[in-house]
Amino acid sequence: MEQQPGGGLVLNVDHTFKILLVGDSGVGKSSLLLRFSTGGFEELVPTIGVDFKAKVVDVGGKKVKLTIWDTAGQERFRTLTSSYYRGAQGIVLVYDVSRAETFDSLADIWLREVDMYGTVEECIKMVVANKSDLAEQREVSREMGLQFAKAHGCLFVETSAKGNVAVDQAFEELVHKVGDSGDAQPAGFHWQHLWAEEQAAAAVVVLLRVGCRS
């Protein structure tokens, strides 16, 4: 799976997938997205509201536009971010292997939100155990994560955004499963809606950041 020339702005694609990243604040959702979309890594501050990136990839000879939405984990943004579950064909539930409470939140908060707000019946869910580089601080074993994912019908991958371990693998596996599920939207599907959603998200982020500074 390779990024096509022109990046996420190319519109002549065969399919479009909407992917949503959820999980507690500080688990590394933004770092995972940055690593996948640009190949870079930064120690990022918590997301305010929502953010997104677009990337065009090649899957089995087809051009696929991914719109990947990064949601804030803080409770104060929960009402805002709940609307972005709508239409998501893939949902990535992220926890930090060095913070057991973020793993517990998958069942206590995030899977419940998927059930409440998700609108795609055959949505593909993936559990991502991030920060696997923090081996000495690990509080959640790989076996615990894998068993949880199996129990809830989710894919499972351990990653390290900082060490660039299995990040591309996670997104590639998810994208292939979404394609296999038959929920891929054809080229031209709701481009105006997607564009408007992206513009609205960008505007919301700006307003929230201005509000947080005041």
Side-chain angles (χ1 to χ4, degrees):
M1 188 164 67
E2 298 177 355
Q3 185 173 6
Q4 298 294 318
L9 297 178
V10 178
L11 296 183
N12 58 332
V13 298
D14 298 293
H15 299 289
T16 177
F17 298 167
K18 180 178 179 180
I19 309 297
L20 190 69
L21 299 174
V22 300
D24 285 2
S25 180
V27 296
K29 300 184 299 294
S30 300
S31 295
L32 287 168
L33 178 54
L34 182 66
R35 176 65 80 180
F36 176 66
S37 60
T38 71
F41 176 81
E42 297 178 23
E43 297 287 353
L44 300 168
V45 298
T47 299
I48 297 175
V50 291
D51 199 2
F52 69 92
K53 293 188 184 298
K55 182 173 180 176
V56 175
V57 298
D58 184 274
V59 180
K62 300 285 188 180
K63 286 184 179 180
V64 178
K65 179 182 178 181
L66 307 179
T67 56
I68 310 173
W69 297 80
D70 174 20
T71 63
Q74 300 101 314
E75 185 174 358
R76 61 189 174 126
F77 296 123
R78 202 73 52 75
T79 302
L80 169 68
T81 59
S82 64
S83 63
Y84 290 94
Y85 285 85
R86 185 178 63 250
Q89 298 128 303
I91 297 180
V92 182
L93 301 111
V94 186
Y95 69 92
D96 176 349
V97 300
S98 69
R99 294 165 55 207
E101 69 274 15
T102 68
F103 176 70
D104 295 338
S105 291
L106 296 187
D108 295 341
I109 298 172
W110 303 110
L111 278 174
R112 290 184 180 183
E113 291 214 344
V114 172
D115 290 340
M116 282 193 295
Y117 303 122
T119 60
V120 177
E121 186 174 349
E122 298 299 323
C123 171
I124 304 299
K125 300 186 292 292
M126 171 178 278
V127 172
V128 169
N130 193 35
K131 304 191 182 182
S132 62
D133 54 287
L134 300 179
E136 294 184 358
Q137 290 83 44
R138 181 185 282 269
E139 295 181 355
V140 184
S141 70
R142 185 181 189 282
E143 290 70 25
M144 290 172 63
L146 184 58
Q147 288 177 5
F148 177 87
K150 286 182 176 180
H152 294 279
C154 304
L155 304 171
F156 177 78
V157 179
E158 280 205 341
T159 64
S160 169
K162 184 175 183 178
N164 196 18
V165 176
V167 176
D168 285 353
Q169 172 193 335
F171 282 98
E172 287 173 8
E173 184 176 354
L174 181 67
V175 168
H176 279 285
K177 289 293 185 181
V178 171
D180 291 343
S181 73
D183 281 320
Q185 303 296 356
F189 177 85
H190 287 341
W191 279 116
Q192 290 184 333
H193 170 74
L194 288 171
W195 181 85
E197 192 175 51
E198 292 171 4
Q199 296 302 308
V204 166
V205 170
V206 169
L207 290 172
L208 286 169
R209 287 174 179 167
V210 169
C212 287
R213 294 192 195 103
S214 60

